[in-house]
Amino acid sequence: MPHIPIDFTFLTNLVVVYGVNVLGAILLAVGGFWVAGVVERGLHRALSASKRMDPTVASFLSSLVHYAILAVVLVAILQLIGIQATSLIAVLGAASLAIGLALQGTLSNMAAGVMLLLFRPFKLGDQIEVANKSGAVRDLNLFFTELASGDNVQVLIPNAQVWGAAMTNLSRYPTRRVETTFSAPADRDADQAAREIEAYLDANPHALSAPAPVVTPSGFADGAWEMNVKVWANASEVSALKADLVRYARDRAMAQAAIAAQAAS
């Protein structure tokens, strides 16, 4: 067999050069991620310090800068390991159609994020219902909208679903109307029962006096009057008002049951 000479010096130099490049690429990646995080947090604090800056815009812009830095770091890493930027651009240009099809979901999320930023249908802290999910808005970045559910569970929704679905913003207006139904015994005067409920609502601290609560008999079923109740409250106090109405309905039912048992005895 012919003897093939091995140039150990060349191999050693090759390993050293590529080893140094790989080590440098790793260090650059770690440093790039660290710098991107520091810049994102610093920019977010700086933007949030301005009273005229919307928190949603501050969060989105800081996230955009974070990903821009990571893109620059990626190009620098490719150049460090021997892949020239011009070659990379040529390859990406030739494969643009395939990349576009593969990343169409990601690109649509980015585009939807920009539209959400421009039109701002919600802001941080708003209670919204979208894509069959509900919660308080915690964050908006390039790809996801983050909600905190009622039991404080993180909910991440792709921006394309948020922008492309019907949305209910429960915090958009300062006041909301609560509507429910109470019952009154058939032997009671319906108008008198309505005045009793109105008196309770007038005294309730969570119910607004303007617009005034409206209580009207809406029908008769199962041997009792059905009283339709419409009352307004501040958006932040709707939950408290609903809890008060549930307790009031329970107390009325218990009192009516006690009166009926006493009459039967």
Side-chain angles (χ1 to χ4, degrees):
M1 293 180 61
H3 177 70
I4 301 176
I6 299 177
D7 190 344
F8 288 100
T9 302
F10 174 77
L11 292 178
T12 302
N13 293 336
L14 189 65
V15 170
V16 170
V17 170
Y18 279 97
V20 170
N21 288 343
V22 171
L23 180 60
I26 294 174
L27 294 177
L28 183 59
V30 173
F33 274 97
W34 180 79
V35 170
V38 171
V39 172
E40 179 185 17
R41 291 189 293 270
L43 180 61
H44 188 271
R45 284 194 297 267
L47 293 175
S48 300
S50 175
K51 296 181 179 179
R52 292 181 294 180
M53 176 61 65
D54 187 272
T56 308
V57 178
S59 177
F60 189 90
L61 291 179
S62 58
S63 176
L64 183 63
V65 170
H66 175 86
Y67 288 108
I69 293 175
L70 292 182
V72 173
V73 171
L74 176 61
V75 173
I77 291 174
L78 292 175
Q79 288 185 324
L80 185 61
I81 62 178
I83 301 177
Q84 297 299 320
T86 53
S87 301
L88 178 63
I89 293 174
V91 172
L92 291 179
S96 59
L97 179 59
I99 292 175
L101 292 175
L103 299 179
Q104 59 181 342
T106 301
L107 295 176
S108 65
N109 287 330
M110 294 177 62
V114 173
M115 298 302 290
L116 290 172
L117 176 65
L118 291 176
F119 290 95
R120 288 190 286 180
F122 55 80
K123 62 180 184 297
L124 296 186
D126 282 358
Q127 292 282 340
I128 67 172
E129 296 177 356
V130 63
N132 296 322
K133 304 293 183 181
S134 63
V137 180
R138 285 289 182 87
D139 190 22
L140 170 63
N141 58 41
L142 277 176
F143 305 106
F144 295 99
T145 297
E146 178 184 350
L147 306 181
S149 64
D151 50 353
N152 203 33
V153 174
Q154 183 188 54
V155 180
L156 296 176
I157 308 175
N159 287 336
Q161 294 185 21
V162 177
W163 178 251
M167 180 190 306
T168 300
N169 190 335
L170 302 177
S171 304
R172 187 67 174 182
Y173 302 124
T175 60
R176 288 171 52 192
R177 190 181 73 182
V178 176
E179 187 170 353
T180 187
T181 301
F182 289 141
S183 62
D187 56 357
R188 292 282 308 279
D189 180 70
D191 293 334
Q192 177 62 30
R195 286 192 292 269
E196 292 177 0
I197 299 174
E198 289 176 350
Y200 167 77
L201 294 175
D202 289 337
N204 189 291
H206 301 120
L208 295 177
S209 57
V214 177
V215 182
T216 55
S218 59
F220 187 83
D222 298 328
W225 293 104
E226 290 185 350
M227 315 296 293
N228 183 257
V229 179
K230 298 178 181 178
V231 56
W232 289 81
N234 291 321
S236 60
E237 298 182 343
V238 168
S239 297
L241 177 59
K242 288 182 177 180
D244 289 345
L245 294 177
V246 170
R247 285 192 291 269
Y248 180 67
R250 179 201 61 192
D251 294 342
R252 283 178 58 87
M254 293 176 62
Q256 292 169 7
I259 293 173
Q262 184 178 5
S265 62

